[in-house]
Amino acid sequence: MVTLEDSIKRYARGLGFDSVGIASAEPFSRDEQAAVQRVREGLMDGLPWYTEERVRRANRPGVLLPGARSIVSLAMSYLTGEPRTKGSGPHGRVARYAWGDDYHDVMKARLRQFCDGLSQRAGRPVATRIFVDDGPMNDRAAAERAGIGWFGKNTNILNPTLGSWILLGNVVTDLELEPDPPLSKNCGECVRCIDDCPTGAIVAPFVIDNRRCISFLTIELRGSIPRELRPLVGDWVFGCDICQDVCPVNRKAGGGNEPAFRQRHDFAAPELLPLLEMSDEDFRERFRGSPIKRAKRAGLQRNVCVALGNIRDPVAVPALVKSLGARDALVREHAAWALGRIGCDEARSALRSALETEDDTAVRREIELCLADAQATAADA
């Protein structure tokens, strides 16, 4: 006999979900307590919307959907092939989840379709509410409880066959469903993700200092990237995959088949210099329907400058010099830093010229620091 739970899972897989599990809608008390503590310790600073009130809502499914009885947790793999590069200039790196279409749009459309079929399978009208990462729902806690995977020490959910290359969605429902058991697996003694994080953002197993995470710095942060962290960002211009790339579970992860998550344009490893030339209209057109649009044009160009400063290829100097005259002070500041890092005569000359006309305090301070660093380096030589 096919149970309702089996019917629901078969239906979900037919819609393209790679993993499906069912959890109870009881509060996530452990996760709520841990998250509140991180907020109080300042580890979520920089995300003003991430408040204690939101944490409590996120961990209480019955608040999100009155009458909630179960959660159907679903995952889709976004491991869709190796990066393809174009062009001969310096390239940056983009987190794999952003190589294709915006997963929020893809997942939500699929979850709505899934919910449409629940009532038919249950034989009655079913109340539902869907969540994909951007709503007040603890998606990872639900996925862990539903047996989708276990918490890695980098806080990602690790699936035994798909690794952490999965996007999570959850459907809170008033259906009374038999829950799946959580997995008994864990990361054991492995700390590769902690050791290899260049900024030291994973301050303890399962604890991330948001303020140091490259993904936060290149996506959510709207101001200047702290000067001491810029060299550690490397060539990442949107997000970061280091803690996933080094994870042993991901070495044998199977790939997904969702066409929407395949690489668009050169999004895996974009050529950097053309990105500095983009207008707002160019940015909107190029990244329409892409997660990369979250960084905003000025934020992405800030990241590009940092990447170029870390790559240190003098071929970038003319473009960076032009960026010293950019409309946004944020871009000018980081272009100055990049020129200081490259440090050739042309770069130093451009910085001295820019200092004569620059009227933004932060940009002037950056130029002065770069020139002072150059003078100190020359003195040491």
Side-chain angles (χ1 to χ4, degrees):
M1 177 181 175
V2 177
T3 66
L4 176 58
E5 290 80 6
D6 289 337
S7 175
I8 288 172
K9 291 176 183 178
R10 186 180 303 168
Y11 174 53
R13 291 192 179 95
L15 292 176
F17 292 101
D18 296 303
S19 184
V20 189
I22 296 170
S24 73
E26 295 299 313
F28 302 108
S29 301
R30 177 205 66 185
D31 302 272
E32 178 180 324
Q33 183 178 4
V36 166
Q37 184 64 29
R38 288 169 198 163
V39 171
R40 292 176 178 176
E41 291 175 356
L43 298 180
M44 302 306 295
D45 286 359
L47 299 175
W49 49 266
Y50 198 95
T51 62
E52 290 187 31
E53 179 184 359
R54 183 186 175 92
V55 165
R56 293 189 176 92
R57 282 176 53 80
N59 287 285
R60 302 179 187 187
V63 172
L64 300 174
L65 178 73
R69 293 292 179 268
S70 304
I71 302 169
V72 182
S73 188
L74 309 103
M76 294 179 73
S77 171
Y78 60 94
L79 186 65
T80 56
E82 294 306 307
R84 304 186 309 274
T85 60
K86 298 179 181 178
S88 58
H91 291 77
R93 282 190 288 176
V94 168
R96 184 181 284 272
Y97 80 84
W99 292 6
D101 294 345
D102 192 325
Y103 68 95
H104 298 93
D105 299 334
V106 175
M107 292 279 285
K108 285 180 179 178
R110 207 68 54 88
L111 287 173
R112 293 188 190 102
Q113 191 176 356
F114 171 77
C115 289
D116 288 342
L118 279 184
S119 296
Q120 179 183 350
R121 282 156 181 79
R124 69 167 177 85
V126 175
T128 60
R129 187 173 178 186
I130 65 173
F131 296 94
V132 182
D133 182 44
D134 56 351
M137 169 71 183
N138 194 332
D139 293 298
R140 297 181 190 186
E144 181 197 32
R145 182 182 288 177
I148 296 293
W150 70 93
F151 267 104
K153 291 176 183 175
N154 59 4
T155 76
N156 286 322
I157 293 295
L158 295 172
N159 180 277
T161 58
L162 302 171
S164 62
W165 308 111
I166 53 176
L167 301 163
L168 301 174
N170 285 283
V171 177
V172 184
T173 175
D174 65 349
L175 279 175
E176 189 78 55
L177 300 172
E178 182 68 25
D180 293 305
L183 301 182
S184 58
K185 296 188 176 219
N186 58 56
C187 294
E189 299 299 316
C190 180
V191 290
R192 285 289 303 274
C193 59
I194 297 175
D195 291 343
D196 286 21
C197 177
T199 60
I202 310 175
V203 295
F206 318 109
V207 181
I208 290 180
D209 184 343
N210 179 71
R211 300 163 298 185
R212 301 186 66 83
C213 180
I214 292 174
S215 287
F216 167 75
L217 296 172
T218 58
I219 301 174
E220 304 292 346
L221 181 64
R222 291 291 174 248
S224 300
I225 296 176
R227 208 166 189 267
E228 69 276 12
L229 295 180
R230 293 174 196 169
L232 307 178
V233 171
D235 57 357
W236 292 99
V237 296
F238 186 89
C240 176
D241 281 335
I242 292 174
C243 67
Q244 298 192 86
D245 286 334
V246 303
C247 177
V249 178
N250 281 335
R251 291 175 188 163
K252 298 180 181 180
N257 298 308
E258 176 52 54
F261 297 144
R262 293 174 186 162
Q263 180 181 327
R264 292 168 51 179
H265 306 294
D266 63 345
F267 285 2
E271 193 174 3
L272 295 178
L273 299 185
L275 296 180
L276 289 179
E277 298 286 343
M278 287 189 305
S279 64
D280 287 329
E281 183 178 354
D282 295 334
F283 177 84
R284 287 192 296 269
E285 181 62 29
R286 180 171 175 77
F287 297 112
R288 191 185 310 276
S290 163
I292 298 174
K293 66 182 181 294
R294 285 176 58 199
K296 311 297 185 184
R297 178 193 54 77
L300 183 63
Q301 290 178 334
R302 169 201 64 190
N303 301 342
V304 168
C305 290
V306 171
L308 290 171
N310 289 324
I311 294 169
R312 296 190 178 188
D313 188 337
V315 73
V317 169
L320 289 167
V321 170
K322 186 175 181 180
S323 292
L324 286 177
R327 179 186 67 198
D328 300 279
L330 184 68
V331 177
R332 301 200 302 272
E333 176 188 351
H334 290 76
W337 181 83
L339 288 166
R341 289 274 285 178
I342 295 172
C344 63
D345 290 342
E346 182 183 356
R348 288 190 292 270
S349 176
L351 288 172
R352 285 191 289 268
S353 296
L355 189 60
E356 295 177 2
T357 57
E358 180 59 60
D359 58 4
D360 183 89
T361 302
V363 182
R364 288 187 60 84
R365 176 60 176 161
E366 182 60 54
I367 295 173
E368 290 167 352
L369 288 171
C370 290
L371 292 174
D373 289 344
Q375 187 174 357
T377 300
D380 291 341

